[in-house]
Amino acid sequence: MRHSADAQGVAYGNTMSYITGFLLSIILTAIPFWLVMDSGVSAGIIAGGVMTCAVVQVLVHLVYFLHLNASSEMRWNLVTIVFSAVIIFIIITGSLWIMWNLNHQMM
């Protein structure tokens, strides 16, 4: 996957990169739709499949559409996104833990 960079160091993808990202996004949207519409699978498999496809689709968007990579020009963007993901994970996990604990204490 080649990216060109202009004078400011901003990377732009080529047409094939955008088409690949688009096709992967369509596939990663169709798989959870199929899992939910097919009633032959258990709820745990559906939840796991939907969450897995969601995480992979976020990564596809970051790589193919936002052109995020580990190069030296993009390192600060990568650090910012990783820091934001960690903070969001802490907030969601903490909120779920608090709600579970409150439900457990009320019962």
Side-chain angles (χ1 to χ4, degrees), residues 18-105:
Y18 286 119
I19 291 173
T20 304
F22 178 71
L23 291 176
L24 286 173
S25 296
I26 294 294
I27 291 169
L28 290 168
T29 301
I31 291 171
F33 184 76
W34 174 75
L35 283 173
V36 170
M37 295 304 290
D38 184 27
S39 59
V41 241
S42 69
I45 293 174
I46 291 173
V50 169
M51 285 189 269
T52 301
C53 286
V55 169
V56 172
Q57 192 165 44
V58 166
L59 295 174
V60 165
H61 284 231
L62 288 173
V63 171
Y64 286 100
F65 298 123
L66 296 178
H67 311 295
L68 188 66
N69 55 27
S71 67
S72 61
E73 297 87 20
M74 297 297 224
R75 190 137 353 238
W76 284 111
N77 291 339
L78 184 62
V79 168
T80 304
I81 289 175
V82 168
F83 178 73
S84 300
V86 168
I87 295 298
I88 290 170
F89 176 77
I90 290 171
I91 290 172
I92 290 173
T93 305
S95 298
L96 291 174
W97 180 35
I98 289 170
M99 288 187 286
W100 180 83
N101 196 10
L102 285 173
N103 184 36
H104 181 69
Q105 296 294 331

